[in-house]
Amino acid sequence: MNQSKQWYQRRVRGRSDGSLVSTAVSPYPTILQNYVGKNKWEDAVRLCRFVKDQALWASLAAMATASKDLSTAEIAFSAINEAEKVEYISQIKEISNSSARNAEMSLFCRQPVEAEGILLQGGLIYRAIRLNIDLYKWNRALELAIKHKTHVDTVLAYRQRYLEDFGIQETDNMFAQYSKEIAVDWTTIQNKITMELENERGK
């Protein structure tokens, strides 16, 4: 940190032997929290740029991510050299559908249940199914597909590919049953997925 920009509040605390000790406490985390609490993201970024402290940037990155403020999160993660997270956020920002974008941010915050709820509420059934496929929550993916009467074959196809890749036999009775009843055709599935994504852009 630039020493010319470094200043501290002095606090006095008691020790177990009854003596008093003066400690230095930086006011910047509190100032940052106040800015974030008032949604003053630009002020928060300016503060971090002024202080030039990695820990403060990391705090801003976490708070911006939790608040789903993509632009601020991107700036903060870039400042602490989190290239993969910057790239991921950049990809999220390119998603035109707001429900899909918010769901991806919930996933980024490790909140898959919230992400699924956002997708279902936004009518993005395929994305909700695919979310569970990507998380290997096969039964939940099949449950959603059956309930909404769509993409059952998609779930079966990805399940079969997964089992084949790991040389595993199907042991789930429900998957075994539906695999006998529904044919899997990857060309048909890919065409349906393409149509889903195109329709999503119009929502």
Side-chain angles (χ1 to χ4, degrees):
M1 184 188 301
N2 189 326
Q3 294 297 320
S4 65
K5 297 176 181 178
Q6 186 175 2
W7 59 280
Y8 296 92
Q9 295 174 334
R10 308 295 298 188
R11 290 186 182 179
V12 178
R13 61 184 177 87
R15 296 176 60 178
S16 59
D17 60 2
S19 61
L20 298 178
V21 178
S22 177
T23 60
V25 179
S26 171
Y28 295 124
T30 300
I31 296 172
L32 179 65
Q33 190 171 23
N34 288 336
Y35 281 147
V36 171
K38 297 176 182 177
N39 290 320
K40 294 184 176 181
W41 298 106
E42 292 183 0
D43 289 337
V45 170
R46 278 194 289 269
L47 175 68
C48 289
R49 284 175 173 162
F50 174 77
V51 179
K52 297 180 180 179
D53 180 76
Q54 292 290 92
L56 202 66
W57 276 117
S59 297
L60 178 59
M63 289 187 281
T65 299
S67 299
K68 296 182 174 61
D69 189 292
L70 295 173
S71 296
T72 303
E74 187 176 25
I75 292 169
F77 280 119
S78 177
I80 56 177
N81 299 315
E82 291 282 359
E84 291 185 2
K85 293 178 180 178
V86 171
E87 177 63 23
Y88 186 72
I89 292 174
S90 179
Q91 292 174 4
I92 293 175
K93 289 173 68 177
E94 293 177 0
I95 299 175
S96 59
N97 184 280
S98 60
S99 294
R101 190 167 57 248
N102 289 334
E104 286 294 332
M105 278 304 294
S106 292
L107 276 179
F108 186 63
C109 295
R110 300 180 180 180
Q111 298 173 331
V113 175
E114 179 181 280
E116 181 190 289
I118 293 171
L119 293 172
L120 293 175
Q121 187 174 5
L124 303 179
I125 308 303
Y126 165 68
R127 271 195 182 263
I129 292 171
R130 185 57 188 266
L131 180 153
N132 284 284
I133 290 174
D134 291 342
L135 295 176
Y136 304 110
K137 295 184 177 181
W138 300 107
N139 291 94
R140 178 58 177 165
L142 185 59
E143 176 188 336
L144 289 174
I146 294 170
K147 178 180 179 180
H148 294 279
K149 300 179 181 179
T150 183
H151 285 287
V152 175
D153 56 343
T154 302
V155 179
L156 296 176
Y158 279 102
R159 169 78 170 184
Q160 290 175 12
R161 176 182 286 179
Y162 168 79
L163 294 176
E164 289 171 0
D165 287 345
F166 288 92
I168 303 172
Q169 294 294 319
E170 183 60 79
T171 57
D172 187 287
N173 291 334
M174 183 171 289
F175 273 97
Q177 175 188 337
Y178 275 94
S179 294
K180 292 177 181 178
E181 298 174 359
I182 299 176
V184 169
D185 180 78
W186 275 104
T187 300
T188 301
I189 291 169
Q190 293 295 345
N191 288 337
K192 286 200 301 182
I193 292 173
T194 299
M195 288 182 61
E196 290 280 6
L197 297 178
E198 289 176 353
N199 292 335
E200 178 185 299
R201 296 187 187 98
K203 291 185 178 181

